[in-house]
Every structure is written in C-alpha cells, then in structure tokens.
Amino acid sequence: MLRQFITGAAIAGTLSLWLGSAMAHPVTAEPSKGVKASFDIIETQIVTKGDKAIFSTRVRGEAGAEKPAATGKFEGSGVYAYVWPTSLNSGDIGFDRDQGIVALAVTFHPDFDDAANKGKNRDVWHPHWVVLNEDKACAGGLKVTDIPDGAKPKLPATWPGVPLLIDSPDYPTTLKGDRVDVAIPLSLIGGITGASYDGVTAGLKVNGNLHAPLLCVDNVFKVASGNLSLPGKVMPAK
C-alpha cells in the first residue's frame, strides 16, 4: 500500500493531465466495523468555495471522539490525525520544492505543543501541513520528514521550531458531529485547484529515543480510496 501511495503521489502531475477520467469529488468509502467509528472514513473531499479551499472528511461516528492517551512525556507519545495527502508540491506551502508528499493533517496530541510562535495547542484538534517521506524504520512506512542537524531548509513563517518539515498555520478548523472541516484561503495555496487528493486516518508516534525518524506514521486506520492512489480532484463546490 505504501509503495502505491508513493507512486500515486509521484504521478499526481500526470494524473492532472487526464482529469477527465479521474474520480470526481468526493472520494467515498464503505463503512467498516473493523475501524473505530470516529476514524471510519465515509467520505472525503477538497473543494474550492469563494476565496477558500475547504478540506472535509465525514466518518461513521463522532469526529474527534477518540484521542491518544496522555503519557506525561514527549518521547514515545502518540498523535491521532485526519489527513488529506495531496499532489501539492512542498514549494506550494512554504518549504523547498520537491521535498516529499504534501499532506494537511488535523491532529490531537496531549503530551506536547507544536503551535507557531511557542503557542499552546495540545488540548485542541488543530491543523498542520506536513511533508511525508518513506522510511522503513516506521511501522506505517512513512515519516514526517526530518531536518538533519546543520541543515537550513526554507521554512514557512509559522514553522513551530521542531526539526521536521511541519507547519502550524492557524486555519479555522471544525470538528462537529461526523465531520472534520478546515478552511484555507486560496491565496495561500494557489496550486490547490486541480490537485489530486485522498483521505486517511492514522496514528503517529514520537520516537522514544528522540532520534530520526522523529515522528513516524505508526498505524493507518483507514484510507478513503483503499489504495492511496489519490483519486480525488479538487473542484469548485457545487
């Protein structure tokens, strides 16, 4: 599945050339009793509406009802996430170009804060941009890309100061009933129109030794498409 994901993201540019045959939004999935209801994706989509891009996911249960248990320490702690992997380029969100797979993630992690400008966010679901790459050391096969010691990559203004390609913008984020919604000004992600996307729910974990990979995808709960092929296409809302 991971290799399909990597391949899917890598060929997203090609996908945009045959949009007529790409799946129209939203990407839908059959309910699965084997997945916790709050992470059991039924539908996911990204649309443009006015001057905003709206990222949405519907689940079988109550969105945000399940949260990782607090451990009292950063190392080894857990993160739960609603994720939209996209075909955006990392350069579109303020990093150097071609650094990996760009995804928006709405996360909850009770053991640490990673808001911009040393803000607090451990007690609320909140959004991040992340750049993902393959790493066989991670149980889920993917990691949030590490910044090596001494490296000085291009970073967005709301980078939270951790050695990862992660951003902490303050986008309006709502979890209500069975929905998760994030609204992002189109002026900040001009490349989103026509982009490909998928929907994922997952658990991540901080490395217990605080070495790279620092933040791994530990458990994929559900993939909307079933194969991480990014079949959705960002379109104007109907």
Side-chain angles (χ1 to χ4, degrees):
M1 178 179 289
L2 172 60
R3 188 160 298 282
Q4 289 174 311
F5 181 27
I6 299 292
T7 302
I11 66 175
T14 302
L15 287 173
S16 66
L17 299 177
W18 48 277
L19 296 176
S21 59
M23 179 184 292
H25 69 88
V27 180
T28 59
E30 292 295 323
S32 173
K33 294 295 184 181
V35 179
K36 290 182 177 179
S38 59
F39 293 119
D40 189 10
I41 299 173
I42 304 300
E43 178 181 290
T44 190
Q45 66 178 356
I46 307 173
V47 299
T48 59
K49 186 174 183 180
D51 61 353
K52 301 287 196 306
I54 311 297
F55 292 62
S56 300
T57 286
R58 287 183 53 234
V59 294
R60 178 167 55 87
E62 180 183 357
E66 294 278 348
K67 299 172 183 173
T71 65
K73 56 184 181 180
F74 175 62
E75 58 269 30
S77 60
V79 178
Y80 283 173
Y82 298 86
V83 186
W84 294 265
T86 75
S87 63
L88 287 170
N89 191 285
S90 52
D92 293 329
I93 57 168
F95 297 102
D96 293 310
R97 292 188 61 79
D98 304 326
Q99 296 302 298
I101 301 161
V102 171
L104 183 75
V106 173
T107 69
F108 192 99
H109 39 76
D111 288 303
F112 61 93
D113 299 301
D114 59 1
N117 303 313
K118 300 182 179 180
K120 305 295 184 184
N121 62 2
R122 70 178 65 192
D123 296 322
V124 296
W125 289 91
H126 57 272
H128 291 288
W129 286 115
V130 293
V131 180
L132 302 172
N133 270 288
E134 189 174 10
D135 194 317
K136 294 180 180 178
C138 296
L142 284 172
K143 67 177 180 181
V144 179
T145 306
D146 298 284
I147 300 175
D149 289 344
K152 295 182 178 178
K154 181 181 179 183
L155 298 168
T158 45
W159 175 66
V162 295
L164 297 169
L165 295 187
I166 185 171
D167 190 21
S168 301
D170 188 20
Y171 300 142
T173 301
T174 303
L175 285 80
K176 185 176 182 180
D178 62 355
R179 294 181 63 93
V180 182
D181 295 292
V182 184
I184 304 177
L186 283 174
S187 60
L188 301 180
I189 47 170
I192 193 67
T193 301
S196 301
Y197 68 89
D198 211 326
V200 176
T201 49
L204 294 87
K205 192 171 185 178
V206 177
N207 190 315
N209 295 318
L210 300 182
H211 295 154
L214 180 59
L215 183 57
C216 281
V217 177
D218 188 55
N219 188 6
V220 176
F221 302 140
K222 189 168 183 177
V223 180
S225 69
N227 59 13
L228 289 166
S229 56
L230 310 187
K233 173 180 163 22
V234 180
M235 299 174 65
K238 294 180 180 178

